[in-house]
Amino acid sequence: MVMESTRSEKSMRIGVLTGGGDCPGLNAVIRAVVRTADARYGSAVVGFQDGWRGLLEDRRIQLRNDDRNDRLLTKGGTMLGTARTNPEVLRAGLSRIEQTLEDNGIDVLIPIGGEGTLTAAHWLSEEGVPVVGVPKTIDNDIDCTDVTFGFDTALTIATDAIDRLHSTAESHQRVMLVEVMGRHAGWIALHAGLASGSHMTLIPEQPFDVDEVCDMVRKRFQRGDSHFICVVAEGAMPKEGSMSLLDGGIDEFGHVKFTGVAHQLGQEIERRINKEVRTTVLGHVQRGGTPTPYDRVLATRFGVNAVDAAHAGDFGKMVSLRGAEIGLVSLAEAVTKLKRVPESRYVDAAAFFG
C-alpha cells in the first residue's frame, strides 16, 4: 500500500544555523529539519555556515532531503560549522542579517544553540525576525526544558572515563581528580559522579573547602580504602579563604577564562596531606564523536517540532522537553536564567561522598 503525500500547501523557506560550541546531536537536528520540512510541508531549507557569521556574511548552502542528509544522524559535530560571535557585533549587524534573510527569501530562522545563541535569537525576535529556537548544550543548563541533547552523550563519555580511572587509581593507591565540563552548572559532574561511584563531586553551585576535601581523602585511606576519585566541574570554585585560583581574565565574549581548578586543587591536596594526586581533564572529548541513541532521538524530535512550530507561525518560541512531551516555551522565558543544580540534588549526591 502506498501512502498518500502529507505535504501541506503552506510551504516556506527555512533558514537554519548552529551557534556556540559543537555538540553531539546537532546534525540530527539539521537532518530532522530538512526531512520534515520537505516531506511534511514541501518547504526548502537553507543552512547558514559557521553560526551567526554565516548570516552576517551571507554564506549558506542549500540543504536537500537526500542520502547525504540521511547519513547525518550518527555524525558528531555540525555539518554547517559553528562559531561564537560577540553580541555587540551581532547587534551592529542587524541590517545585514535582515538583508541576508530577504535576499534568500527566508520566512523563518531556526537557530540551534545554547544560552548565547538563544539570547541572540530572542533579541532578533524582538526586532521582528521570525525565529523558532532549538536548545543545545552538553551542560544541560538551558532553563524551561528538562534536558537538552548532547548532555546524555557527554555524561556517557565522562562516566566511561571515570569507570576506567577507578582501576588504575586502585592499583596505585592514588587520589584522582577528574575535571569535566560545566562552567556555571554542575549537571555533568553531578550525574557522572553518581553514575561512576566517585567519592566526591565539586560543582559551581556549591563552593568547596579544601580542608574538607583533604579530610575526606584522609578518612578513606585511614579506614583501608585504596583510592579516592573526585569529579570536578571546570567552573567549581573554592570557598573564600580556602584557596586561591589563578586569574585567567575574561575573553572577548565576557566569559571567565578557567585556569584548571582540578590541577590547582590537586597541588593543594599534595601540599597539605602529602598524598600523590593525578589529574585528568576530559575537555573536548566530552562533546565530540557520535551521539548516544537518546540524544539522536531527542535531537530528531526537537527538529521535527521546530519545523511544525515554524509552519504554525509560533515564532519567538523554543522547543522544549517536559516529561515525555515536546512543547514550546517563549524565548524570553527560556533565556531569563540558567538551569543550575539545586541544593537538594547536591545533598542527595553527598550521601555517597567518602
Side-chain angles (χ1 to χ4, degrees):
M1 176 179 175
V2 179
M3 296 184 65
E4 294 183 5
S5 172
T6 58
R7 286 191 174 190
S8 164
E9 294 300 321
K10 187 183 176 183
S11 62
M12 56 171 54
R13 282 177 66 81
I14 297 172
V16 63
L17 62 84
T18 54
D22 65 301
C23 177
L26 281 169
N27 282 325
V29 179
I30 296 168
R31 170 182 178 267
V33 167
V34 174
R35 191 177 185 91
T36 305
D38 177 53
R40 188 171 290 181
Y41 299 100
S43 294
V45 180
V46 175
F48 291 98
Q49 297 173 299
D50 301 328
W52 296 111
R53 289 183 191 172
L55 200 57
L56 287 165
E57 300 168 5
D58 195 11
R59 290 188 289 106
R60 77 283 184 193
I61 55 175
Q62 187 70 45
L63 300 175
R64 306 185 186 282
N65 185 19
D66 54 18
D67 287 344
R68 181 187 177 200
N69 181 69
D70 214 37
R71 291 195 296 270
L72 290 175
L73 181 64
T74 61
K75 293 186 177 180
T78 165
M79 58 89 68
L80 290 175
T82 186
R84 290 186 169 90
T85 303
N86 190 300
E88 294 307 312
V89 172
L90 201 59
R91 288 182 181 275
L94 176 60
S95 60
R96 279 184 287 161
I97 290 173
E98 292 175 331
Q99 190 63 54
T100 297
L101 295 174
E102 182 179 343
D103 289 347
N104 288 279
I106 302 299
D107 298 297
V108 58
L109 181 67
I110 299 180
I112 312 166
E115 176 201 10
T117 299
L118 295 176
T119 299
H122 171 51
W123 169 71
L124 282 178
S125 178
E126 288 188 316
E127 295 294 332
V129 177
V131 172
V132 176
V134 175
K136 170 264 349 170
T137 170
I138 68 168
D139 289 346
N140 198 36
D141 60 359
I142 298 297
D143 201 24
C144 299
T145 183
D146 289 350
V147 70
T148 51
F149 66 88
F151 173 67
D152 186 69
T153 302
L155 172 60
T156 299
I157 292 168
T159 301
D160 179 68
I162 299 165
D163 286 347
R164 294 171 185 275
L165 288 172
H166 271 287
S167 59
T168 186
E170 189 172 6
S171 297
H172 293 273
Q173 298 85 49
R174 281 180 179 151
V175 176
M176 288 260 186
L177 304 183
V178 186
E179 185 173 301
V180 300
M181 286 185 170
R183 297 184 64 87
H184 305 292
W187 293 106
I188 295 176
L190 184 83
H191 284 241
L194 281 169
S196 65
S198 297
H199 308 117
M200 193 173 197
T201 302
L202 307 178
I203 63 175
E205 293 87 345
Q206 301 291 330
F208 63 88
D209 187 308
V210 180
D211 286 333
E212 292 178 2
V213 176
C214 290
D215 285 343
M216 194 166 289
V217 174
R218 285 194 197 95
K219 288 176 182 178
R220 273 194 62 82
F221 284 97
Q222 284 172 357
R223 68 173 182 245
D225 292 312
S226 59
H227 71 300
F228 183 91
I229 290 187
C230 178
V231 183
V232 185
E234 64 182 335
M237 296 290 292
K239 288 181 179 178
E240 188 174 353
S242 176
M243 66 174 276
S244 52
L245 297 177
L246 297 173
D247 184 3
I250 305 294
D251 67 18
E252 62 178 306
F253 306 106
H255 299 149
V256 173
K257 292 182 180 179
F258 294 129
T259 56
V261 59
H263 176 69
Q264 293 174 70
L265 174 59
Q267 291 178 323
E268 281 292 314
I269 294 172
E270 286 191 336
R271 184 177 68 82
R272 296 187 188 199
I273 64 173
N274 193 31
K275 191 70 182 174
E276 188 176 28
V277 179
R278 290 290 184 270
T279 301
T280 300
V281 179
L282 296 185
H284 291 82
V285 298
Q286 293 162 92
R287 70 185 196 197
T290 186
T292 60
Y294 179 88
D295 279 341
R296 297 179 204 180
V297 172
L298 180 58
T300 298
R301 294 181 70 199
F302 274 175
V304 170
N305 281 269
V307 172
D308 286 345
H311 285 86
D314 279 330
F315 305 138
K317 305 287 182 63
M318 179 191 83
V319 292
S320 165
L321 178 68
R322 291 297 199 188
E325 302 301 320
I326 306 291
L328 296 172
V329 298
S330 71
L331 281 166
E333 183 182 1
V335 301
T336 298
K337 59 183 173 61
L338 290 175
K339 183 180 69 181
R340 308 186 79 203
V341 176
E343 185 175 3
S344 60
R345 291 291 302 276
Y346 190 69
V347 169
D348 289 346
F352 298 92
F353 291 179

